[in-house]
Amino acid sequence: MARILIVDDQDNARGMLSAMLQQEGYTVDQAGGGAAACELVQSNGYDLVITDLRMDDVGGLEVLRRTRESSPTTPVIVMTAFGTIEDAVEAMRFGAHDIVQKPFVEEELLTKVARASRSRELG
């Protein structure tokens, strides 16, 4: 099963998403902010990174950019509660695999995670 990094500065959102993915059999690490996430991505091999777009320290677009630099084949799903079309376009331009609107529908997110994991395997 895929190893996933969840990046969100909201503890409850990060914990809920982590529990949901672990229940599906994924191995999950968590980062409480973008700076910590960037360090984890460089030192660990992840099959998928799921990051919130807006965080207090380092934002999701920077996490996306640094993940693409250090691990170009790792898909990144960007989550946002404040999504605009401009945000989605910018995230996709930076190489996001997908965008998820918060609050998300569990089945929809699990489908996107499975699809991203498969794309990495097919690489």
Side-chain angles (χ1 to χ4, degrees), residues 2-3 14-15 18 50 57 70 107 110 118:
R3 184 170 181 198
R14 197 174 62 247
S18 177
I50 302 173
D57 63 349
S70 64
E107 294 80 26
L110 290 173
R118 276 195 309 274

Side-chain angles (χ1 to χ4, degrees), residues 8-119:
D8 198 316
D9 57 358
Q10 295 180 345
D11 293 344
N12 59 343
R14 197 174 62 247
M16 181 195 68
L17 182 53
S18 177
M20 181 182 79
L21 292 171
Q22 286 173 335
Q23 194 170 24
E24 294 295 315
Y26 294 101
T27 301
V28 179
D29 288 343
Q30 298 181 36
C38 292
E39 289 179 22
L40 286 170
V41 165
Q42 285 191 323
S43 60
N44 298 293
Y46 291 102
D47 298 304
L48 174 62
V49 174
I50 302 173
T51 184
D52 192 20
L53 182 62
R54 301 200 182 180
M55 295 178 283
D56 288 336
D57 63 349
V58 174
L61 289 179
E62 184 64 15
V63 171
L64 169 61
R65 188 184 69 75
R66 291 191 196 174
T67 299
R68 302 294 297 155
E69 283 178 1
S70 64
S71 182
T73 62
T74 300
V76 178
I77 295 175
V78 176
M79 300 182 300
T80 182
F82 310 103
T84 64
I85 292 172
E86 291 81 15
D87 289 338
V89 168
E90 189 170 8
M92 297 305 273
R93 190 171 58 84
F94 276 104
H97 186 270
D98 217 328
I99 308 291
V100 174
Q101 184 76 34
K102 288 177 167 182
F104 54 82
V105 176
E106 186 174 325
E107 294 80 26
E108 177 186 353
L109 181 65
L110 290 173
T111 298
K112 290 181 180 204
V113 166
R115 190 178 309 134
S117 297
R118 276 195 309 274
S119 78

